[in-house]
Amino acid sequence: MNAPVPTAPRPIQALPDQLISQIAAGEVVERPSAVVKELLENALDAGSTQINVRLEEGGVKRIAITDNGRGIPPEQLPLALARHATSKIASLHDLENVSTLGFRGEALASIAAVAAVSVTTRTADAPHAWQIVGSHLGTVTPSSGALGTTIDVQDLYYNTPARRKFLKSEQTEYGHCAEVVRRIALARPDVAFTLSHNGKTVDHWNVSDLAKRCAHIVGNDFAEARLPVDEAGGPLRLHGFVGLPTASKARADGQFFYVNGRFVRDKLLVHAVKAAYQDVLHGDRFPSYVLALELDPALVDVNVHPSKIEVRFRDSRAVHQFVFHAVQRTLAQTSATSFGSAPAPQPAAMMAAPADSMWRPQQASFGAQLSGTFSPSPYPAGSRWDTPGVAQRPESYGALFADSDKGTGPAAFGTEANSPKPAPFIMPPSGGPDEEFPLGFALAQLHGIYILAQNARGLVLVDMHAAHERILYEQLKNALDASVDGQQMQVQPLLIPVTFFADAVEVGTATEHRDTLEQLGFDIAALSPTTLAVRSIPTLLKSADAQTLARDVLRDVREYGGSRVLIERRNELLGTLACHTAVRANRILSIAEMNALLRQMESTERADQCNHGRPTWVQLDISSLDKLFLRGQ
């Protein structure tokens, strides 16, 4: 590259006001959507309850925003277009405690420097409206108009053609403007918004609550697959909605986060929400959410970015942990017991319980001895699945709950003869069985992969491997958490240790990280430089292949180190162990075993998704089945 041709040196001099404003406009007025954002924020700060946005040619030719706010007194109109003039702050204390969306006092001046601007406004006590055109040097003249303010911006960048040629197509610029309106309208459901483009009304949102505004803007898919969030802790409050993991998207275009009413893209907040979803969502999928964080303005600095899209918290760690735990606790509610009916086919987590019923999940333990009494079987009297006046006690639920050394373990699956006969049942004090068991009762197994069950709403289909994987995963997490709190991890000593050939690295890992392995419930010892012996494994994994489990845990411990496995990689490791232990496809289950799995799903957190974020069950209601067969048409 050639060096630039040197020019004659110039003396240092003060820049003219017009050039200063045009330079400032380069930061504030990046494109038409930035103008829309600044004007909408001013309208909301003025107490508006109705805002009309009119655009022409993507906002390049015209942006006109009309509100019904307080208006501007005529004597203050020139100052409204002057640089660094504002009614929102007057001191450093005000800046550090700013509660309005705008506060710098430079937006209108910057816009007026690169476009033709007129401001028409009327206050409640004024007999008529007033108008100023051009800049702060313009003359204030009487005008007509209702209470509020109209700011008309035309021919953006008319005097800076170099900037204008960097703009995109009309449709692209309109898309950015519409997105800004959507974001702001989503934050203020108490305000009515109208958006029109080239003389045609595109969107209109009446005053409503957040739930309805979300449905209108984010979409019905989100409205039918979301969970409400409303948690407070100290000076922090988080409220809004988070999407179910099964309704995730391939893009992050359904994520809206607000801090004190301001839409932000903050890495700390995005990471907190992402971390809360990591247990239930694929790594390449994005959740949808509309969340609003409220806190004392003194605890957050909004003056760290030209477009105020980023913020800085005084105690960022506390905010991160609060948001993370609030969202995580909400997602933990996604079990079958938390929801009722939904349009089919939909992930089961979308179901909402009838108003006159309350699910009371049994505290069963799939993969271990169960206790409790189950409600009556819905099967026809005298069938092979039902005995009149008979109940199914949990401990009768077949080989899944028997010790492998008794010959009724995994190898015994495939015949009902291996399951004990049902024992008498006792009618529960509640209503029907569907109140107790929203997943209903098993009918059959399909291709050794799916469980078909019947409930009051219709047909339930369960991916048995995915469901059992989630159950084991949650049990492993709870067991490991208990061991961290001082309770001993329940382990299963092997009557005959499982030995296998190991390379030098595996033998060294087993020796070096023995304490970590014991915390995870494994006793793996070196018998020789090339042989390892597995002496015990976690009780929850007793039916799995001990050698496979040992190799998996040794691999992760070797790759990430003992401390990192227990802290950062814990969930990934436990997910792998659960996947290897869960019932596999083509493994035939008895009806009793299927019912046991359904009961445990109802009492397990996050049971609607497997560890990889896939749904574990779906509901097909009767009306959807009727449509398939054209019944009633």
mmCIF file of all heavy atoms in Angstrom, residues 369-391:
data_model
loop_
_atom_site.group_PDB
_atom_site.id
_atom_site.type_symbol
_atom_site.label_atom_id
_atom_site.label_comp_id
_atom_site.label_asym_id
_atom_site.label_seq_id
_atom_site.Cartn_x
_atom_site.Cartn_y
_atom_site.Cartn_z
ATOM 1 N N GLN A 369 -36.301 -48.888 45.050
ATOM 2 C CA GLN A 369 -37.528 -49.376 45.678
ATOM 3 C C GLN A 369 -38.520 -48.230 45.816
ATOM 4 O O GLN A 369 -38.186 -47.141 46.246
ATOM 5 C CB GLN A 369 -37.211 -49.957 47.059
ATOM 6 C CG GLN A 369 -38.341 -50.764 47.663
ATOM 7 C CD GLN A 369 -38.515 -52.115 46.973
ATOM 8 O OE1 GLN A 369 -37.772 -52.429 46.061
ATOM 9 N NE2 GLN A 369 -39.490 -52.878 47.397
ATOM 10 N N LEU A 370 -39.784 -48.457 45.431
ATOM 11 C CA LEU A 370 -40.813 -47.435 45.507
ATOM 12 C C LEU A 370 -41.707 -47.676 46.708
ATOM 13 O O LEU A 370 -41.783 -48.762 47.247
ATOM 14 C CB LEU A 370 -41.675 -47.459 44.235
ATOM 15 C CG LEU A 370 -40.932 -47.276 42.916
ATOM 16 C CD1 LEU A 370 -41.923 -47.280 41.781
ATOM 17 C CD2 LEU A 370 -40.148 -45.995 42.936
ATOM 18 N N SER A 371 -42.414 -46.645 47.084
ATOM 19 C CA SER A 371 -43.377 -46.786 48.174
ATOM 20 C C SER A 371 -44.603 -45.967 47.849
ATOM 21 O O SER A 371 -44.536 -45.002 47.115
ATOM 22 C CB SER A 371 -42.765 -46.298 49.494
ATOM 23 O OG SER A 371 -42.438 -44.943 49.413
ATOM 24 N N GLY A 372 -45.732 -46.338 48.395
ATOM 25 C CA GLY A 372 -46.953 -45.592 48.157
ATOM 26 C C GLY A 372 -48.001 -46.468 47.520
ATOM 27 O O GLY A 372 -47.777 -47.626 47.189
ATOM 28 N N THR A 373 -49.185 -45.922 47.296
ATOM 29 C CA THR A 373 -50.284 -46.665 46.711
ATOM 30 C C THR A 373 -50.769 -45.932 45.491
ATOM 31 O O THR A 373 -50.887 -44.716 45.494
ATOM 32 C CB THR A 373 -51.435 -46.788 47.727
ATOM 33 O OG1 THR A 373 -50.928 -47.450 48.876
ATOM 34 C CG2 THR A 373 -52.593 -47.576 47.142
ATOM 35 N N PHE A 374 -51.070 -46.666 44.428
ATOM 36 C CA PHE A 374 -51.501 -46.045 43.191
ATOM 37 C C PHE A 374 -53.010 -46.173 43.044
ATOM 38 O O PHE A 374 -53.651 -47.043 43.616
ATOM 39 C CB PHE A 374 -50.790 -46.701 41.998
ATOM 40 C CG PHE A 374 -49.344 -46.345 41.937
ATOM 41 C CD1 PHE A 374 -48.410 -47.058 42.679
ATOM 42 C CD2 PHE A 374 -48.909 -45.279 41.179
ATOM 43 C CE1 PHE A 374 -47.083 -46.733 42.641
ATOM 44 C CE2 PHE A 374 -47.579 -44.950 41.141
ATOM 45 C CZ PHE A 374 -46.667 -45.679 41.868
ATOM 46 N N SER A 375 -53.556 -45.301 42.216
ATOM 47 C CA SER A 375 -54.987 -45.278 42.018
ATOM 48 C C SER A 375 -55.434 -46.405 41.102
ATOM 49 O O SER A 375 -54.629 -47.095 40.515
ATOM 50 C CB SER A 375 -55.380 -43.931 41.424
ATOM 51 O OG SER A 375 -54.689 -43.736 40.219
ATOM 52 N N PRO A 376 -56.733 -46.600 40.957
ATOM 53 C CA PRO A 376 -57.221 -47.759 40.213
ATOM 54 C C PRO A 376 -56.751 -47.772 38.771
ATOM 55 O O PRO A 376 -56.521 -46.748 38.176
ATOM 56 C CB PRO A 376 -58.747 -47.592 40.290
ATOM 57 C CG PRO A 376 -58.980 -46.696 41.431
ATOM 58 C CD PRO A 376 -57.793 -45.804 41.517
ATOM 59 N N SER A 377 -56.664 -48.955 38.240
ATOM 60 C CA SER A 377 -56.299 -49.117 36.829
ATOM 61 C C SER A 377 -57.502 -48.746 35.973
ATOM 62 O O SER A 377 -58.639 -49.050 36.303
ATOM 63 C CB SER A 377 -55.899 -50.561 36.574
ATOM 64 O OG SER A 377 -55.814 -50.802 35.183
ATOM 65 N N PRO A 378 -57.252 -48.091 34.822
ATOM 66 C CA PRO A 378 -58.374 -47.722 33.957
ATOM 67 C C PRO A 378 -58.739 -48.817 32.973
ATOM 68 O O PRO A 378 -59.582 -48.627 32.115
ATOM 69 C CB PRO A 378 -57.806 -46.503 33.206
ATOM 70 C CG PRO A 378 -56.351 -46.808 33.073
ATOM 71 C CD PRO A 378 -55.984 -47.548 34.350
ATOM 72 N N TYR A 379 -58.085 -49.982 33.063
ATOM 73 C CA TYR A 379 -58.290 -51.008 32.066
ATOM 74 C C TYR A 379 -59.567 -51.801 32.346
ATOM 75 O O TYR A 379 -60.037 -51.892 33.475
ATOM 76 C CB TYR A 379 -57.079 -51.939 32.023
ATOM 77 C CG TYR A 379 -55.808 -51.173 31.851
ATOM 78 C CD1 TYR A 379 -54.843 -51.158 32.852
ATOM 79 C CD2 TYR A 379 -55.606 -50.407 30.701
ATOM 80 C CE1 TYR A 379 -53.692 -50.411 32.693
ATOM 81 C CE2 TYR A 379 -54.444 -49.661 30.553
ATOM 82 C CZ TYR A 379 -53.489 -49.659 31.547
ATOM 83 O OH TYR A 379 -52.361 -48.927 31.400
ATOM 84 N N PRO A 380 -60.120 -52.429 31.316
ATOM 85 C CA PRO A 380 -61.369 -53.180 31.470
ATOM 86 C C PRO A 380 -61.226 -54.288 32.509
ATOM 87 O O PRO A 380 -60.197 -54.941 32.610
ATOM 88 C CB PRO A 380 -61.604 -53.763 30.063
ATOM 89 C CG PRO A 380 -60.809 -52.881 29.143
ATOM 90 C CD PRO A 380 -59.632 -52.428 29.939
ATOM 91 N N ALA A 381 -62.278 -54.452 33.267
ATOM 92 C CA ALA A 381 -62.258 -55.503 34.285
ATOM 93 C C ALA A 381 -62.048 -56.855 33.631
ATOM 94 O O ALA A 381 -62.628 -57.174 32.602
ATOM 95 C CB ALA A 381 -63.568 -55.498 35.075
ATOM 96 N N GLY A 382 -61.203 -57.664 34.271
ATOM 97 C CA GLY A 382 -60.933 -58.998 33.781
ATOM 98 C C GLY A 382 -59.858 -59.079 32.733
ATOM 99 O O GLY A 382 -59.483 -60.177 32.314
ATOM 100 N N SER A 383 -59.347 -57.917 32.267
ATOM 101 C CA SER A 383 -58.272 -57.969 31.275
ATOM 102 C C SER A 383 -56.981 -58.399 31.939
ATOM 103 O O SER A 383 -56.858 -58.422 33.156
ATOM 104 C CB SER A 383 -58.089 -56.589 30.624
ATOM 105 O OG SER A 383 -57.530 -55.691 31.558
ATOM 106 N N ARG A 384 -55.973 -58.698 31.112
ATOM 107 C CA ARG A 384 -54.723 -59.170 31.686
ATOM 108 C C ARG A 384 -53.988 -58.056 32.416
ATOM 109 O O ARG A 384 -52.994 -58.321 33.075
ATOM 110 C CB ARG A 384 -53.825 -59.756 30.593
ATOM 111 C CG ARG A 384 -53.281 -58.748 29.594
ATOM 112 C CD ARG A 384 -52.580 -59.496 28.469
ATOM 113 N NE ARG A 384 -51.964 -58.584 27.509
ATOM 114 C CZ ARG A 384 -50.675 -58.296 27.513
ATOM 115 N NH1 ARG A 384 -49.881 -58.825 28.431
ATOM 116 N NH2 ARG A 384 -50.161 -57.480 26.608
ATOM 117 N N TRP A 385 -54.467 -56.814 32.279
ATOM 118 C CA TRP A 385 -53.824 -55.706 32.965
ATOM 119 C C TRP A 385 -54.597 -55.263 34.195
ATOM 120 O O TRP A 385 -54.215 -54.322 34.855
ATOM 121 C CB TRP A 385 -53.682 -54.515 32.011
ATOM 122 C CG TRP A 385 -52.809 -54.817 30.846
ATOM 123 C CD1 TRP A 385 -51.644 -55.498 30.864
ATOM 124 C CD2 TRP A 385 -53.043 -54.482 29.489
ATOM 125 N NE1 TRP A 385 -51.113 -55.595 29.612
ATOM 126 C CE2 TRP A 385 -51.951 -54.980 28.737
ATOM 127 C CE3 TRP A 385 -54.062 -53.810 28.805
ATOM 128 C CZ2 TRP A 385 -51.864 -54.823 27.364
ATOM 129 C CZ3 TRP A 385 -53.970 -53.639 27.440
ATOM 130 C CH2 TRP A 385 -52.871 -54.151 26.728
ATOM 131 N N ASP A 386 -55.709 -55.925 34.449
ATOM 132 C CA ASP A 386 -56.533 -55.443 35.546
ATOM 133 C C ASP A 386 -57.116 -56.633 36.316
ATOM 134 O O ASP A 386 -57.531 -57.626 35.735
ATOM 135 C CB ASP A 386 -57.694 -54.587 35.010
ATOM 136 C CG ASP A 386 -58.544 -54.048 36.139
ATOM 137 O OD1 ASP A 386 -58.143 -53.027 36.721
ATOM 138 O OD2 ASP A 386 -59.596 -54.645 36.429
ATOM 139 N N THR A 387 -57.106 -56.488 37.627
ATOM 140 C CA THR A 387 -57.752 -57.473 38.479
ATOM 141 C C THR A 387 -58.766 -56.735 39.336
ATOM 142 O O THR A 387 -58.405 -55.778 40.011
ATOM 143 C CB THR A 387 -56.729 -58.165 39.390
ATOM 144 O OG1 THR A 387 -55.741 -58.776 38.556
ATOM 145 C CG2 THR A 387 -57.390 -59.226 40.250
ATOM 146 N N PRO A 388 -60.056 -57.135 39.298
ATOM 147 C CA PRO A 388 -61.074 -56.396 40.055
ATOM 148 C C PRO A 388 -60.676 -56.278 41.518
ATOM 149 O O PRO A 388 -60.288 -57.257 42.161
ATOM 150 C CB PRO A 388 -62.338 -57.249 39.874
ATOM 151 C CG PRO A 388 -62.102 -58.005 38.592
ATOM 152 C CD PRO A 388 -60.637 -58.272 38.545
ATOM 153 N N GLY A 389 -60.793 -55.044 42.021
ATOM 154 C CA GLY A 389 -60.499 -54.815 43.429
ATOM 155 C C GLY A 389 -59.028 -54.959 43.748
ATOM 156 O O GLY A 389 -58.682 -55.302 44.863
ATOM 157 N N VAL A 390 -58.199 -54.739 42.761
ATOM 158 C CA VAL A 390 -56.761 -54.942 42.943
ATOM 159 C C VAL A 390 -56.015 -53.654 42.672
ATOM 160 O O VAL A 390 -56.356 -52.923 41.773
ATOM 161 C CB VAL A 390 -56.261 -56.053 41.997
ATOM 162 C CG1 VAL A 390 -54.737 -56.137 42.038
ATOM 163 C CG2 VAL A 390 -56.850 -57.376 42.374
ATOM 164 N N ALA A 391 -54.951 -53.425 43.453
ATOM 165 C CA ALA A 391 -54.109 -52.237 43.244
ATOM 166 C C ALA A 391 -52.734 -52.646 42.805
ATOM 167 O O ALA A 391 -52.307 -53.761 43.043
ATOM 168 C CB ALA A 391 -53.995 -51.450 44.543
#
